[in-house]
Amino acid sequence: NAGVMQNPRHLVRRRGQEARLRCSPMKGHSHVYWYRQLPEEGLKFMVYLQKENIIDESGMPKERFSAEFPKEGPSILRIQQVVRGDSAAYFCATQSQRSEKLFFGSGTQLSVL
Amino acid sequence: KNEVEQSPQNLTAQEGEFITINCSYSVGISALHWLQQHPGGGIVSLFMLSSGKKKHGRLIATINIQEKHSSLHITASHPRDSAVYICAVGESTGNQFYFGTGTSLTVIP
């Protein structure tokens, strides 16, 4: 959905580097969900954030992964010291409070060499 | 066991056929969503259901809350319907969504 903007579309990193994935939700939406989609697997919840607050990070790996959603600017999913197993598609999404419809970004395909 | 199970995993149909994709879930939900993911990855929301039935063009989605089951039907299928269809449920007690692994549909002309 064009309303949720993610960048970059593709990101290539070498093992040990850092990956930063960005998500800007639709205008008027102040929260984002981050999901990871591994090859041949379904989307898995990672974290739910509102502006300046982490609401639920129960799906985040305990190490190397962090997320933020500052008052100004996009939400950032940060992966430090990437490993090959981090290669996946990362999607962010928001939900309309009025209609409860889900809106997804186009995803970031992370490839770790 | 996954919270959301979909069947079939893969489906090939001839153009014009009636298609059904099934979704069963095991958690208490606030709503169920049907999503469509095209090659290239973009995900589009098709339906959000909390009860009954919804129709949009050739697509029909139903949900049975008591049986924890939903179906997505496509009437008069067309090659442009080829995509992965994903069932997702929003749990009633938290913030999480659980996703099925998707049904890959190919409609042959």
Side-chain angles (χ1 to χ4, degrees), chain A residues 1 9 33 35 37 42-45 48 55-56 58 91 95 99-102 104, chain B residues 2 30-31 33 35 37 40-43 45 48 86 88 95-97 99-101:
Chain A
N1 187 293
R9 189 77 172 87
Y33 298 87
Y35 296 97
Q37 187 177 41
L43 289 151
K44 299 293 185 188
F45 169 80
Y48 171 49
I55 305 302
D56 184 346
S58 57
F91 289 91
Q95 185 178 26
S99 69
E100 297 187 45
K101 190 174 180 180
L102 287 170
F104 285 83
Chain B
N2 292 330
S30 57
H33 300 256
L35 311 169
Q37 185 173 26
I43 299 174
S45 176
M48 191 281 292
I86 301 169
N95 303 304
Q96 286 204 30
F97 285 88
F99 295 80
T101 52

Side-chain angles (χ1 to χ4, degrees), chain A residues 88-101:
Chain A
Y90 292 83
F91 289 91
C92 77
T94 65
Q95 185 178 26
S96 166
Q97 290 190 335
R98 183 178 61 84
S99 69
E100 297 187 45
K101 190 174 180 180

Side-chain angles (χ1 to χ4, degrees), chain A residues 49-61:
Chain A
L49 307 109
Q50 291 181 349
K51 286 278 188 181
E52 300 183 280
N53 280 308
I54 297 174
I55 305 302
D56 184 346
E57 58 181 346
S58 57
M60 288 277 271

Side-chain angles (χ1 to χ4, degrees), chain A residues 52-111:
Chain A
E52 300 183 280
N53 280 308
I54 297 174
I55 305 302
D56 184 346
E57 58 181 346
S58 57
M60 288 277 271
K62 292 288 186 283
E63 296 177 348
R64 302 188 297 108
F65 284 72
S66 62
E68 63 175 3
F69 193 8
K71 187 177 180 181
E72 301 291 336
S75 176
I76 306 286
L77 179 66
R78 184 183 177 206
I79 311 172
Q80 295 177 291
Q81 299 173 341
V82 295
V83 300
R84 287 213 174 117
D86 297 332
S87 297
Y90 292 83
F91 289 91
C92 77
T94 65
Q95 185 178 26
S96 166
Q97 290 190 335
R98 183 178 61 84
S99 69
E100 297 187 45
K101 190 174 180 180
L102 287 170
F103 297 92
F104 285 83
S106 54
T108 294
Q109 182 65 52
L110 173 65
S111 298

